[in-house]
Structures are given as structure tokens and as C-alpha cells.
């Protein structure tokens, strides 16, 4: 009798633990928003300033395990991008409206002390493309990002994130010429990098696994 009760108790503990482990969200829909600060981009003979603006977007986050996820996100900010020459003259005055868009694939790691923790610090990063629009033109370039913060769970399927992020777009914009002597000239692409820092939040809808 005692052995049967002990076996039954162990089975209940095992089932409860397995059920608890299985009940983490497998998919999360995130509505993103934040403020991205000013950033200067330096070229050979000009400087562009991407003015700070509100950034918004959304993402789908897939959880292969409780504390690791893969996220696909799209974020956009409408802004102005004045372009200045070396003497401080604005080249595109009155025509400096533009936007910055990111499509990114991120890997994120959550640091939970227990399965029922309500506050989950996280850190992640990813790669993708950045799309720059302005003055009737558009350019798609390589982009990457880093982000970290905390996810706060509630008793419902809705949770919240507070985060800081660093996003970057890298682009070639011409060539420099290097003289190696003997009449040999090398053409080397010039690169311009934009680093955008921001603070944001997200409303997360966590779809429970079945």
C-alpha cells in the first residue's frame, strides 16, 4: 500500500512537472514602439543627420525552448534626413523627408530564474536589411541590431517588454583610389555606417501551446 501511494505521488509530480514545462508560449505576437535618437552619418564631403523620431512595427517570436526564441521583425520610422556640405550648407533643404525601415531576423535568450518567473531579462541580436527612403529614391542595405531589456509577464496572455536597442545600416557610397606605385591604382569601396540607439517597449500576446 505504501509503495503504491509512493508510486502514485511520484507519477503526479512527474506529470505536474511535465505539464508545467510544456505550458510555455510557443509563439508571441509583439507590437513594438520606441524613440530612436539622432544619428550623424559621415561621408567624404558631406554629413547626413537622421533626426530622432518615433519608431513602430511588429514581430513574430517563435520559441523552440522556454528561454530561447527566434524573432522576425519589421520596424519603421518616418524622419527627416538633412544633408550638409563641408561648409554647413544644406543640400536638400525643403526636400529632406525620409524613412528608415528594418527587416531583421533575431535570436533572443531569456534569463529566467524559475519557470514561473514574472520578470525575464533578455538579450539578443540579429541581421537583416535596412531600407532607406528619401527624395524619391530608395536603397536596401545590410543591417544588424542588438537589444536587451526585460519581459514582464502577467496572469493573462498579454505581457510587456521594456528594451534598449542599437540598430545599424552599412552601405557603400563610392570609391577611394589608392596609388601603389608603378602606375598601379586600386579602387577601394567607401563605407558609411549608421548607428541608431533607441529606447522602446512592446505589448506581447503570448499564444499558449496546446
Amino acid at each position: 500500500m505504501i509503495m503504491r501511494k509512493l508510486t502514485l505521488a511520484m507519477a503526479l509530480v512527474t506529470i505536474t512537472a511535465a505539464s508545467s514545462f510544456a505550458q510555455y508560449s510557443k509563439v508571441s505576437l509583439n507590437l513594438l514602439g520606441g524613440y530612436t535618437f539622432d544619428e550623424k552619418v559621415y561621408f567624404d564631403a558631406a554629413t547626413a543627420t537622421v533626426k530622432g523620431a518615433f519608431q513602430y512595427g511588429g514581430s513574430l517570436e517563435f520559441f523552440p525552448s522556454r528561454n530561447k526564441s527566434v524573432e522576425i521583425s519589421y520596424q519603421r520610422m518616418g524622419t527627416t534626413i538633412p544633408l550638409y556640405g563641408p561648409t554647413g550648407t544644406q543640400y536638400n533643404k525643403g526636400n529632406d523627408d525620409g524613412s528608415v525601415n528594418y527587416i531583421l531576423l533575431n535570436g533572443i535568450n531569456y534569463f529566467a530564474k524559475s519557470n514561473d518567473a514574472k520578470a525575464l531579462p533578455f538579450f539578443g541580436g540579429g541581421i537583416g536589411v535596412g531600407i532607406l527612403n528619401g527624395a524619391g529614391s530608395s536603397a536596401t542595405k545590410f543591417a544588424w541590431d542588438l537589444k536587451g531589456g526585460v519581459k514582464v509577464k502577467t496572469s493573462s496572455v498579454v505581457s510587456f517588454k521594456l528594451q534598449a536597442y542599437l540598430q545599424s545600416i552599412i552601405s557603400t557610397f563610392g570609391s577611394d583610389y589608392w596609388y601603389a606605385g608603378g602606375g598601379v591604382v586600386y579602387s577601394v569601396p567607401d563605407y558609411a555606417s549608421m548607428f541608431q540607439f533607441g529606447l522602446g517597449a512592446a505589448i506581447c500576446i503570448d499564444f499558449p501551446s496546446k
Side-chain angles (χ1 to χ4, degrees), residues 12 18 20-21 25 29 37-38 46 62 65 76 88 94 100 109 130 152 155 161-162 187:
L12 287 173
S20 173
F21 181 79
S25 171
L29 172 64
F37 297 94
D38 288 4
F62 303 92
S65 65
R76 181 185 191 280
V100 182
N109 192 77
V152 181
S155 57
K161 282 184 179 180
L162 298 175
S187 176

Side-chain angles (χ1 to χ4, degrees), residues 105-135:
L105 178 65
N106 281 276
I108 302 174
N109 192 77
Y110 291 86
F111 304 93
K113 293 184 178 180
S114 64
N115 289 342
D116 58 352
K118 296 298 183 183
L120 307 176
F122 67 88
F123 181 79
I127 58 174
V129 294
I131 305 169
L132 299 169
N133 298 313

Side-chain angles (χ1 to χ4, degrees), residues 18-30:
S19 175
S20 173
F21 181 79
Q23 287 175 358
Y24 66 88
S25 171
K26 291 294 184 72
V27 180
S28 181
L29 172 64
N30 306 317

Side-chain angles (χ1 to χ4, degrees), residues 131-151:
I131 305 169
L132 299 169
N133 298 313
S137 63
S138 178
T140 301
K141 303 295 181 179
F142 173 77
W144 60 267
D145 79 329
L146 295 172
K147 60 184 176 181
V150 61
K151 181 174 183 177

Side-chain angles (χ1 to χ4, degrees), residues 4 10 48 77 92 108 112 115 125 182 189 202:
R4 182 180 299 175
M10 291 178 65
M77 60 178 287
N92 59 346
I108 302 174
N115 289 342

